[in-house]
Amino acid sequence: AAAEIDLLRGVAAGKVDEEEKCPASLGSTIKFGKDCHVECAAFSPDGLVLATGSVDGFLEIWDTTAGYKLKKDLSYQKEEHFMLHASPVLSVAFSRNGELICSGDQKGCIKVWRYHSGKCIREYPNAHENGVTTLRFSRDGGQILSGSFDGMVRCHGLKSGRVLKEFRGHTSYVNCAVWMASERLVLSGGSDGTVRLWDARSASLVRTVRPPQRHAADEAAILGISAFPQNVDHFVVTQESQVVLMTQEGQVIRSFHIEKP
């Protein structure tokens, strides 16, 4: 029988037996200049590179296999022709195949780049009226989901360069947005403390859920949403003081609280 191969590691499946552990020590540090602090970062799907966006508008690629040094085998970085925005870069994401990178800036502009060449292949200069806080590619790489300080969630077509869908309802900043349920749903989280579930095709609101707070003084803003791999109907919500596993109906399965010192 043919052996199954892990394409990311290049070894037979099961040969590398890893135990998932919580980080216990600092692995690496990337030092930036005094006036160019990082606003966002994203690993490539294979984990071999890290993309960072900075307040000076630069988008840079770092080699995770070489101590997180600037990846100089990318000719555009070697020649210092960096991917660049006119304002601070607030969000960055890779496509599923790692071939494309999208980035969003403080003025509401989104750019799509080819990873290997550093060329901008699509620009949405007025994607949002305010800073772009979150970005996600669709599974096929043909659409981009974005959220913004303007309270909007939008879906953009890569080929058309147009807004395909608009999800209205948040009453404050949108901090995160993801596709779920084979991209039939869009979930978004905002500083209004709500997670909103949308029909991806019609852009209509399906449900609004609000994670319960232990204390009235706790910060309610939704900072992150992630799909739960073990159950397609569950998702994980991150807030300042807690992480909550929830169902699409709003039921809390489990919560983990962070006690402030």
Side-chain angles (χ1 to χ4, degrees), residues 98-190:
E99 294 293 321
L100 299 176
I101 300 172
C102 61
S103 51
D105 67 29
Q106 194 174 66
K107 292 184 177 180
C109 173
I110 295 174
K111 293 185 179 185
V112 182
W113 316 82
R114 291 202 183 278
Y115 165 71
H116 290 288
S117 67
K119 292 182 179 179
C120 181
I121 62 169
R122 174 66 70 189
E123 181 175 357
Y124 309 85
N126 301 301
H128 287 277
E129 296 178 4
N130 212 321
V132 182
T133 57
T134 181
L135 290 166
R136 286 291 179 101
F137 278 99
S138 59
R139 290 172 66 87
D140 65 4
Q143 298 179 19
I144 297 169
L145 191 66
S146 66
S148 169
F149 286 133
D150 63 12
M152 301 295 296
V153 178
R154 292 188 172 122
C155 179
H156 313 264
L158 185 58
K159 288 185 178 180
S160 68
R162 298 178 179 178
V163 175
L164 304 178
K165 295 286 189 302
E166 192 171 77
F167 307 86
R168 293 175 172 266
H170 282 285
T171 58
S172 187
Y173 306 149
V174 174
N175 299 317
C176 47
V178 299
W179 272 291
M180 277 190 63
S182 300
E183 299 187 350
R184 289 181 286 104
L185 290 176
V186 167
L187 271 66
S188 58

Coordinates of all heavy atoms in Angstrom, one line a residue, residues 98-190:
G98 N -1.1 30.0 0.2 CA 0.1 30.7 0.5 C 0.6 31.6 -0.6 O 1.7 32.2 -0.5
E99 N -0.1 31.6 -1.7 CA 0.4 32.3 -2.9 C 0.1 33.8 -2.9 O 0.8 34.6 -3.5 CB -0.2 31.7 -4.2 CG 0.3 30.3 -4.5 CD 1.8 30.2 -4.8 OE1 2.3 31.1 -5.5 OE2 2.4 29.3 -4.4
L100 N -1.0 34.2 -2.1 CA -1.4 35.6 -2.1 C -1.4 36.1 -0.6 O -1.6 35.3 0.3 CB -2.8 35.7 -2.6 CG -3.0 35.4 -4.1 CD1 -4.5 35.5 -4.4 CD2 -2.1 36.2 -5.0
I101 N -1.2 37.4 -0.5 CA -1.3 38.1 0.8 C -2.2 39.3 0.6 O -2.1 40.0 -0.4 CB 0.1 38.6 1.3 CG1 1.1 37.4 1.4 CG2 0.0 39.4 2.6 CD1 2.5 37.9 1.7
C102 N -3.1 39.5 1.6 CA -3.9 40.7 1.5 C -3.5 41.5 2.8 O -3.3 41.0 3.8 CB -5.4 40.5 1.4 SG -6.1 39.5 2.7
S103 N -3.6 42.8 2.6 CA -3.3 43.7 3.8 C -4.2 44.9 3.7 O -4.6 45.4 2.7 CB -1.8 44.2 3.7 OG -1.5 44.7 2.4
G104 N -4.5 45.4 4.9 CA -5.5 46.6 5.0 C -4.8 47.6 5.9 O -4.1 47.4 6.9
D105 N -5.1 48.9 5.6 CA -4.5 50.0 6.3 C -5.4 50.9 7.0 O -6.7 50.7 7.0 CB -3.6 50.8 5.3 CG -4.3 51.6 4.3 OD1 -5.5 52.0 4.5 OD2 -3.7 51.8 3.2
Q106 N -4.9 51.9 7.6 CA -5.6 52.8 8.5 C -6.6 53.7 7.8 O -7.6 54.1 8.3 CB -4.6 53.7 9.3 CG -5.2 54.4 10.5 CD -4.1 55.1 11.2 OE1 -3.5 56.1 10.7 NE2 -3.9 54.7 12.5
K107 N -6.4 53.9 6.5 CA -7.3 54.7 5.7 C -8.4 53.9 5.0 O -9.2 54.5 4.2 CB -6.5 55.5 4.7 CG -5.5 56.6 5.3 CD -4.8 57.4 4.3 CE -4.0 58.5 4.9 NZ -3.2 59.3 3.9
G108 N -8.4 52.6 5.2 CA -9.5 51.8 4.6 C -9.2 51.2 3.3 O -10.0 50.7 2.6
C109 N -7.9 51.2 2.9 CA -7.4 50.6 1.7 C -7.0 49.2 1.9 O -6.4 48.8 2.9 CB -6.3 51.4 1.1 SG -5.5 50.7 -0.3
I110 N -7.4 48.3 1.0 CA -6.9 46.9 1.0 C -6.1 46.6 -0.3 O -6.5 47.0 -1.4 CB -8.1 45.9 1.0 CG1 -8.9 46.1 2.3 CG2 -7.7 44.5 0.8 CD1 -10.2 45.2 2.4
K111 N -5.0 45.9 -0.1 CA -4.2 45.6 -1.3 C -3.9 44.0 -1.2 O -3.9 43.4 -0.2 CB -2.8 46.3 -1.2 CG -2.9 47.8 -1.4 CD -1.5 48.4 -1.5 CE -1.6 49.9 -1.8 NZ -0.2 50.5 -1.9
V112 N -3.9 43.5 -2.4 CA -3.6 42.0 -2.6 C -2.3 41.9 -3.3 O -2.1 42.5 -4.4 CB -4.7 41.3 -3.3 CG1 -4.4 39.8 -3.4 CG2 -6.1 41.5 -2.7
W113 N -1.4 41.1 -2.8 CA 0.0 40.9 -3.3 C 0.3 39.4 -3.7 O -0.3 38.5 -3.0 CB 1.0 41.3 -2.3 CG 0.7 42.6 -1.5 CD1 -0.1 42.8 -0.4 CD2 1.3 43.9 -1.8 NE1 -0.1 44.1 0.0 CE2 0.7 44.8 -0.9 CE3 2.1 44.4 -2.8 CZ2 1.0 46.1 -0.8 CZ3 2.5 45.7 -2.8 CH2 1.9 46.6 -1.8
R114 N 1.1 39.3 -4.6 CA 1.7 37.9 -4.9 C 2.9 37.7 -4.0 O 3.8 38.5 -4.0 CB 2.1 37.8 -6.4 CG 0.9 37.7 -7.3 CD 1.3 37.1 -8.6 NE 0.2 37.1 -9.5 CZ -0.9 36.3 -9.5 NH1 -0.9 35.3 -8.6 NH2 -1.8 36.4 -10.4
Y115 N 2.9 36.6 -3.2 CA 3.9 36.4 -2.2 C 5.3 36.3 -2.9 O 6.2 36.9 -2.4 CB 3.6 35.1 -1.5 CG 4.8 34.6 -0.7 CD1 5.2 35.2 0.5 CD2 5.4 33.4 -1.1 CE1 6.3 34.7 1.2 CE2 6.5 32.9 -0.4 CZ 7.0 33.6 0.7 OH 8.0 33.1 1.4
H116 N 5.4 35.6 -4.0 CA 6.8 35.3 -4.5 C 7.4 36.5 -5.3 O 8.6 36.7 -5.3 CB 6.7 34.1 -5.5 CG 6.5 32.8 -4.7 ND1 7.5 32.2 -4.0 CD2 5.4 32.0 -4.6 CE1 7.0 31.1 -3.4 NE2 5.8 31.0 -3.8
S117 N 6.5 37.4 -5.8 CA 7.0 38.5 -6.6 C 6.9 39.9 -5.8 O 7.6 40.8 -6.2 CB 6.3 38.7 -7.9 OG 4.9 39.0 -7.7
G118 N 6.0 39.9 -4.8 CA 5.8 41.2 -4.1 C 5.0 42.2 -4.9 O 4.9 43.4 -4.5
K119 N 4.4 41.8 -6.0 CA 3.6 42.7 -6.8 C 2.2 42.8 -6.4 O 1.6 41.8 -6.0 CB 3.6 42.2 -8.3 CG 5.0 42.3 -9.0 CD 4.9 41.9 -10.4 CE 6.3 42.0 -11.1 NZ 6.2 41.6 -12.5
C120 N 1.7 44.0 -6.4 CA 0.3 44.3 -6.0 C -0.6 44.0 -7.2 O -0.4 44.6 -8.3 CB 0.1 45.7 -5.6 SG -1.6 46.1 -5.1
I121 N -1.5 43.0 -7.1 CA -2.3 42.6 -8.2 C -3.8 43.1 -8.1 O -4.5 43.0 -9.1 CB -2.4 41.0 -8.3 CG1 -3.0 40.4 -7.1 CG2 -1.0 40.5 -8.6 CD1 -3.3 38.9 -7.3
R122 N -4.1 43.7 -7.0 CA -5.5 44.2 -6.8 C -5.4 45.2 -5.7 O -4.8 45.0 -4.6 CB -6.5 43.2 -6.5 CG -7.9 43.7 -6.2 CD -8.5 44.4 -7.4 NE -8.9 43.4 -8.4 CZ -9.3 43.8 -9.6 NH1 -9.3 45.1 -9.9 NH2 -9.6 42.9 -10.6
E123 N -6.1 46.4 -5.9 CA -6.2 47.4 -4.8 C -7.6 47.9 -4.7 O -8.3 48.1 -5.7 CB -5.2 48.6 -5.1 CG -5.3 49.6 -4.0 CD -4.3 50.8 -4.3 OE1 -3.5 50.7 -5.2 OE2 -4.3 51.7 -3.5
Y124 N -8.1 47.9 -3.5 CA -9.4 48.5 -3.2 C -9.2 49.7 -2.4 O -9.1 49.7 -1.1 CB -10.2 47.5 -2.3 CG -10.3 46.1 -2.9 CD1 -9.3 45.1 -2.6 CD2 -11.4 45.7 -3.7 CE1 -9.4 43.8 -3.1 CE2 -11.5 44.4 -4.2 CZ -10.5 43.5 -3.9 OH -10.5 42.2 -4.4
P125 N -9.0 50.9 -3.0 CA -8.6 52.1 -2.3 C -9.6 52.6 -1.3 O -9.3 53.3 -0.3 CB -8.4 53.1 -3.4 CG -9.2 52.6 -4.6 CD -9.1 51.1 -4.5
N126 N -10.9 52.3 -1.5 CA -12.0 52.7 -0.6 C -12.8 51.5 -0.1 O -14.0 51.6 -0.1 CB -12.9 53.7 -1.3 CG -12.1 55.0 -1.8 OD1 -11.5 55.7 -1.0 ND2 -12.1 55.2 -3.1
A127 N -12.1 50.5 0.3 CA -12.8 49.3 0.8 C -13.6 49.6 2.0 O -14.7 49.0 2.2 CB -11.7 48.2 1.1
H128 N -13.1 50.5 2.8 CA -13.9 51.0 4.0 C -13.6 52.4 4.3 O -12.7 53.0 3.7 CB -13.4 50.2 5.3 CG -13.9 48.8 5.3 ND1 -15.1 48.4 5.8 CD2 -13.2 47.6 4.9 CE1 -15.2 47.1 5.7 NE2 -14.1 46.6 5.2
E129 N -14.5 53.0 5.1 CA -14.4 54.4 5.4 C -13.4 54.7 6.5 O -13.1 55.9 6.8 CB -15.8 55.0 5.8 CG -16.8 55.0 4.6 CD -18.1 55.5 5.0 OE1 -18.3 55.9 6.2 OE2 -19.1 55.4 4.2
N130 N -12.9 53.6 7.2 CA -12.0 53.8 8.3 C -11.0 52.6 8.2 O -11.1 51.8 7.3 CB -12.7 53.9 9.6 CG -12.0 54.7 10.6 OD1 -10.8 54.7 10.7 ND2 -12.8 55.5 11.4
G131 N -10.2 52.5 9.2 CA -9.2 51.4 9.2 C -9.7 50.0 9.1 O -10.7 49.7 9.6
V132 N -9.0 49.2 8.3 CA -9.3 47.8 8.1 C -8.7 46.9 9.2 O -7.5 46.8 9.3 CB -8.8 47.3 6.7 CG1 -9.3 45.8 6.5 CG2 -9.4 48.2 5.6
T133 N -9.6 46.4 10.1 CA -9.1 45.7 11.3 C -8.9 44.2 11.1 O -8.2 43.6 11.9 CB -10.1 45.9 12.4 OG1 -11.4 45.4 12.0 CG2 -10.2 47.4 12.8
T134 N -9.5 43.6 10.1 CA -9.5 42.1 10.0 C -9.6 41.8 8.5 O -10.4 42.4 7.8 CB -10.5 41.4 10.8 OG1 -10.4 40.0 10.7 CG2 -11.9 41.9 10.5
L135 N -8.9 40.7 8.1 CA -9.0 40.2 6.7 C -9.0 38.7 6.7 O -8.3 38.1 7.5 CB -7.8 40.7 5.9 CG -7.8 42.2 5.5 CD1 -6.4 42.6 5.0 CD2 -8.9 42.6 4.5
R136 N -9.7 38.1 5.7 CA -9.7 36.6 5.5 C -9.9 36.4 4.0 O -10.8 36.9 3.4 CB -10.8 35.9 6.3 CG -10.5 35.8 7.8 CD -9.4 34.9 8.1 NE -9.1 34.8 9.6 CZ -9.6 33.9 10.4 NH1 -10.3 32.9 9.9 NH2 -9.3 33.9 11.7
F137 N -9.2 35.4 3.5 CA -9.4 34.9 2.1 C -10.5 33.8 2.2 O -10.5 33.1 3.2 CB -8.2 34.3 1.5 CG -7.2 35.3 0.9 CD1 -6.1 35.8 1.6 CD2 -7.5 35.8 -0.4 CE1 -5.2 36.7 1.0 CE2 -6.6 36.7 -1.0 CZ -5.5 37.1 -0.3
S138 N -11.3 33.7 1.2 CA -12.1 32.5 1.0 C -11.2 31.3 0.7 O -10.0 31.4 0.4 CB -13.1 32.7 -0.1 OG -12.5 32.9 -1.3
R139 N -11.8 30.1 0.8 CA -11.0 28.9 0.6 C -10.4 28.8 -0.7 O -9.2 28.3 -0.9 CB -11.9 27.6 0.9 CG -12.3 27.4 2.3 CD -13.3 26.3 2.5 NE -12.7 25.0 2.1 CZ -12.0 24.2 3.0 NH1 -11.9 24.6 4.2 NH2 -11.6 23.0 2.5
D140 N -11.1 29.3 -1.8 CA -10.6 29.2 -3.1 C -9.7 30.5 -3.5 O -9.2 30.6 -4.6 CB -11.7 29.1 -4.1 CG -12.6 30.2 -4.2 OD1 -12.4 31.3 -3.5 OD2 -13.6 30.2 -4.9
G141 N -9.6 31.4 -2.5 CA -8.8 32.6 -2.8 C -9.5 33.7 -3.6 O -8.9 34.7 -3.9
G142 N -10.7 33.4 -4.0 CA -11.4 34.4 -4.9 C -12.1 35.5 -4.3 O -12.5 36.4 -5.0
Q143 N -12.3 35.4 -3.0 CA -13.0 36.5 -2.3 C -12.2 36.9 -1.0 O -11.5 36.0 -0.4 CB -14.4 36.1 -1.9 CG -15.3 35.8 -3.1 CD -16.7 35.3 -2.7 OE1 -17.1 35.5 -1.6 NE2 -17.4 34.7 -3.6
I144 N -12.4 38.1 -0.5 CA -11.8 38.6 0.7 C -12.8 39.1 1.6 O -13.7 40.0 1.2 CB -10.7 39.7 0.4 CG1 -9.6 39.1 -0.5 CG2 -10.2 40.3 1.6 CD1 -8.7 40.1 -1.1
L145 N -12.8 38.7 2.9 CA -13.7 39.2 3.9 C -13.0 40.2 4.7 O -11.8 40.0 5.1 CB -14.2 38.0 4.8 CG -15.3 38.2 5.7 CD1 -16.6 38.5 5.0 CD2 -15.5 37.0 6.6
S146 N -13.6 41.4 5.0 CA -12.9 42.4 5.7 C -13.9 43.0 6.8 O -15.1 43.0 6.6 CB -12.4 43.5 4.8 OG -13.5 44.2 4.2
G147 N -13.3 43.5 7.8 CA -14.0 44.3 8.9 C -13.3 45.5 9.2 O -12.1 45.6 8.9
S148 N -14.0 46.5 9.8 CA -13.4 47.8 9.9 C -13.8 48.6 11.1 O -14.8 48.2 11.8 CB -13.7 48.6 8.6 OG -13.4 50.0 8.8
F149 N -13.1 49.6 11.4 CA -13.5 50.6 12.5 C -14.8 51.3 12.1 O -15.4 51.9 13.0 CB -12.4 51.6 12.7 CG -11.2 51.1 13.4 CD1 -9.9 51.4 13.0 CD2 -11.3 50.4 14.6 CE1 -8.8 50.9 13.7 CE2 -10.2 49.9 15.3 CZ -8.9 50.2 14.8
D150 N -15.2 51.2 10.8 CA -16.4 51.9 10.4 C -17.7 51.0 10.8 O -18.8 51.4 10.5 CB -16.4 52.2 8.9 CG -16.3 51.0 8.0 OD1 -16.5 49.8 8.5 OD2 -16.1 51.1 6.8
G151 N -17.5 49.8 11.4 CA -18.6 49.0 11.9 C -19.1 48.1 10.8 O -20.1 47.4 11.0
M152 N -18.5 48.1 9.6 CA -19.0 47.3 8.5 C -18.2 46.0 8.3 O -17.0 46.0 8.6 CB -18.9 48.1 7.2 CG -19.7 49.4 7.3 SD -21.5 49.0 7.4 CE -21.8 48.2 5.9
V153 N -18.8 45.0 7.8 CA -18.2 43.8 7.3 C -18.5 43.7 5.8 O -19.7 43.8 5.4 CB -18.7 42.5 8.0 CG1 -18.0 41.3 7.4 CG2 -18.4 42.6 9.5
R154 N -17.5 43.5 5.0 CA -17.7 43.4 3.5 C -17.0 42.2 2.9 O -15.9 41.8 3.4 CB -17.2 44.7 2.8 CG -18.1 45.9 3.2 CD -17.7 47.1 2.4 NE -18.7 48.2 2.6 CZ -18.4 49.4 3.1 NH1 -17.1 49.7 3.3 NH2 -19.3 50.4 3.3
C155 N -17.5 41.7 1.8 CA -16.9 40.7 1.0 C -16.6 41.3 -0.3 O -17.4 41.8 -1.0 CB -17.9 39.5 0.9 SG -17.2 38.1 -0.1
H156 N -15.3 41.1 -0.7 CA -14.8 41.7 -2.0 C -14.4 40.6 -3.0 O -13.8 39.6 -2.6 CB -13.6 42.6 -1.7 CG -13.7 43.5 -0.5 ND1 -14.1 44.8 -0.7 CD2 -13.6 43.3 0.8 CE1 -14.1 45.4 0.5 NE2 -13.8 44.5 1.4
G157 N -14.7 40.8 -4.2 CA -14.3 39.9 -5.3 C -12.9 40.2 -5.8 O -12.6 41.4 -6.1
L158 N -12.1 39.2 -5.9 CA -10.7 39.5 -6.3 C -10.7 39.8 -7.8 O -10.0 40.7 -8.2 CB -9.8 38.2 -6.0 CG -8.3 38.4 -6.3 CD1 -7.7 39.5 -5.6 CD2 -7.6 37.1 -6.0
K159 N -11.4 39.1 -8.6 CA -11.4 39.3 -10.0 C -12.1 40.6 -10.4 O -11.6 41.4 -11.2 CB -12.1 38.1 -10.8 CG -11.2 36.9 -10.8 CD -11.9 35.8 -11.7 CE -11.0 34.5 -11.7 NZ -11.6 33.5 -12.6
S160 N -13.3 40.8 -9.8 CA -14.1 42.0 -10.2 C -13.6 43.3 -9.5 O -13.8 44.4 -10.1 CB -15.5 41.8 -9.7 OG -15.7 41.8 -8.3
G161 N -12.9 43.2 -8.4 CA -12.5 44.3 -7.6 C -13.6 45.1 -7.0 O -13.5 46.3 -6.6
R162 N -14.8 44.4 -6.9 CA -16.0 45.1 -6.4 C -16.4 44.5 -5.0 O -16.0 43.4 -4.7 CB -17.1 44.9 -7.3 CG -16.9 45.6 -8.7 CD -18.1 45.3 -9.6 NE -17.9 45.9 -10.9 CZ -18.8 45.8 -11.9 NH1 -19.9 45.1 -11.7 NH2 -18.6 46.4 -13.1
V163 N -17.2 45.3 -4.3 CA -17.8 44.8 -3.1 C -19.0 43.8 -3.5 O -19.9 44.3 -4.2 CB -18.4 45.9 -2.2 CG1 -19.1 45.3 -1.0 CG2 -17.2 46.8 -1.7
L164 N -18.9 42.6 -3.1 CA -19.9 41.6 -3.4 C -21.1 41.5 -2.4 O -22.2 41.3 -2.8 CB -19.3 40.2 -3.6 CG -18.1 40.1 -4.5 CD1 -17.6 38.7 -4.5 CD2 -18.5 40.5 -5.9
K165 N -20.7 41.7 -1.1 CA -21.7 41.6 -0.1 C -21.3 42.6 1.0 O -20.2 43.0 1.2 CB -21.7 40.2 0.6 CG -22.2 39.1 -0.4 CD -23.7 39.2 -0.6 CE -24.2 37.9 -1.4 NZ -23.5 37.7 -2.7
E166 N -22.4 43.1 1.7 CA -22.1 44.0 2.8 C -23.0 43.6 4.0 O -24.2 43.4 3.8 CB -22.5 45.5 2.4 CG -22.1 46.5 3.3 CD -22.3 47.9 2.7 OE1 -23.5 48.4 2.7 OE2 -21.3 48.5 2.3
F167 N -22.4 43.5 5.1 CA -23.1 43.0 6.3 C -23.2 44.1 7.3 O -22.2 44.5 8.0 CB -22.3 41.8 6.9 CG -22.0 40.7 5.9 CD1 -20.9 40.7 5.1 CD2 -22.9 39.6 5.8 CE1 -20.6 39.7 4.2 CE2 -22.6 38.6 4.9 CZ -21.5 38.6 4.1
R168 N -24.4 44.6 7.5 CA -24.6 45.8 8.4 C -25.3 45.4 9.7 O -26.2 44.6 9.6 CB -25.5 46.8 7.7 CG -24.9 47.5 6.5 CD -25.9 48.4 5.7 NE -25.3 49.2 4.7 CZ -24.8 50.4 4.9 NH1 -24.9 51.0 6.0 NH2 -24.3 51.1 3.9
G169 N -24.9 46.0 10.8 CA -25.5 45.7 12.0 C -24.7 46.0 13.3 O -25.3 46.4 14.3
H170 N -23.4 45.9 13.2 CA -22.6 46.2 14.4 C -22.7 47.7 14.7 O -22.8 48.6 13.8 CB -21.2 45.9 14.2 CG -20.9 44.4 14.3 ND1 -20.8 43.8 15.6 CD2 -20.6 43.5 13.4 CE1 -20.5 42.5 15.4 NE2 -20.4 42.3 14.1
T171 N -22.8 48.0 16.0 CA -22.9 49.4 16.5 C -21.6 50.0 16.9 O -21.6 51.1 17.4 CB -23.9 49.5 17.6 OG1 -23.5 48.7 18.7 CG2 -25.3 49.0 17.1
S172 N -20.5 49.3 16.7 CA -19.2 49.8 17.1 C -18.2 49.1 16.1 O -18.5 48.5 15.1 CB -18.9 49.5 18.5 OG -17.6 50.1 18.9
Y173 N -16.9 49.2 16.5 CA -15.8 48.7 15.6 C -16.0 47.2 15.4 O -16.4 46.4 16.3 CB -14.5 48.9 16.3 CG -14.1 50.3 16.7 CD1 -13.3 50.5 17.8 CD2 -14.6 51.4 15.9 CE1 -12.9 51.8 18.1 CE2 -14.2 52.7 16.3 CZ -13.4 52.9 17.4 OH -13.0 54.1 17.8
V174 N -15.7 46.7 14.2 CA -15.6 45.3 13.9 C -14.2 44.9 14.1 O -13.3 45.4 13.4 CB -16.1 45.0 12.5 CG1 -15.9 43.5 12.2 CG2 -17.6 45.3 12.4
N175 N -13.9 43.9 15.0 CA -12.6 43.5 15.3 C -12.1 42.2 14.6 O -11.0 41.9 14.5 CB -12.4 43.4 16.8 CG -12.6 44.7 17.5 OD1 -12.2 45.7 17.1 ND2 -13.3 44.6 18.6
C176 N -13.1 41.4 14.2 CA -12.8 40.1 13.6 C -14.0 39.6 12.7 O -15.1 40.0 13.0 CB -12.5 39.1 14.7 SG -13.7 39.0 16.0
A177 N -13.7 38.9 11.7 CA -14.7 38.3 10.8 C -14.2 37.0 10.2 O -13.0 37.1 9.7 CB -15.2 39.3 9.8
V178 N -14.9 36.0 10.2 CA -14.5 34.7 9.6 C -15.6 34.0 8.9 O -16.8 34.3 9.1 CB -14.0 33.7 10.7 CG1 -12.8 34.3 11.5 CG2 -15.1 33.4 11.7
W179 N -15.3 33.1 7.9 CA -16.3 32.3 7.3 C -16.4 31.0 8.1 O -15.4 30.5 8.7 CB -15.8 31.9 5.9 CG -16.3 32.8 4.8 CD1 -17.5 33.0 4.4 CD2 -15.4 33.7 4.0 NE1 -17.5 34.0 3.4 CE2 -16.3 34.4 3.1 CE3 -14.1 33.9 4.0 CZ2 -15.8 35.3 2.2 CZ3 -13.6 34.8 3.1 CH2 -14.4 35.5 2.2
M180 N -17.6 30.4 8.2 CA -17.8 29.1 8.9 C -18.8 28.3 8.1 O -19.4 28.8 7.2 CB -18.3 29.4 10.3 CG -17.2 29.7 11.3 SD -17.8 29.6 13.0 CE -18.3 27.9 13.1
A181 N -18.9 27.0 8.5 CA -19.9 26.1 8.0 C -19.8 26.0 6.5 O -20.7 26.3 5.7 CB -21.3 26.5 8.4
S182 N -18.5 25.7 6.0 CA -18.3 25.6 4.6 C -18.6 26.9 3.8 O -19.1 26.9 2.7 CB -19.1 24.4 3.9 OG -18.7 23.2 4.5
E183 N -18.3 28.0 4.5 CA -18.5 29.3 4.0 C -20.0 29.7 3.7 O -20.3 30.6 3.0 CB -17.6 29.5 2.8 CG -16.2 29.4 3.1 CD -15.3 29.8 1.9 OE1 -15.8 30.0 0.8 OE2 -14.0 29.8 2.1
R184 N -20.9 28.9 4.4 CA -22.3 29.3 4.3 C -22.7 30.4 5.3 O -23.7 31.1 5.1 CB -23.2 28.1 4.6 CG -23.1 27.0 3.4 CD -24.0 25.8 3.7 NE -23.4 24.9 4.7 CZ -23.8 24.8 5.9 NH1 -24.8 25.6 6.4 NH2 -23.3 24.0 6.7
L185 N -21.8 30.6 6.3 CA -22.0 31.6 7.3 C -20.8 32.5 7.4 O -19.7 32.1 7.2 CB -22.3 30.9 8.7 CG -23.6 30.2 9.0 CD1 -23.5 29.6 10.4 CD2 -24.8 31.1 8.8
V186 N -21.1 33.7 7.8 CA -20.0 34.7 8.2 C -20.3 35.0 9.6 O -21.4 35.4 10.0 CB -20.1 35.9 7.3 CG1 -19.2 37.0 7.9 CG2 -19.6 35.6 5.9
L187 N -19.2 35.0 10.5 CA -19.3 35.4 11.9 C -18.4 36.6 12.0 O -17.3 36.6 11.6 CB -18.8 34.3 12.8 CG -19.9 33.2 13.3 CD1 -20.4 32.4 12.1 CD2 -19.3 32.3 14.3
S188 N -19.0 37.6 12.7 CA -18.2 38.8 13.0 C -18.4 39.2 14.5 O -19.4 38.9 15.1 CB -18.7 39.9 12.1 OG -20.1 40.2 12.3
G189 N -17.3 39.8 15.0 CA -17.3 40.2 16.4 C -16.9 41.6 16.5 O -16.0 42.1 15.7
G190 N -17.5 42.4 17.4 CA -17.2 43.8 17.5 C -17.0 44.3 18.9 O -17.2 43.6 19.9

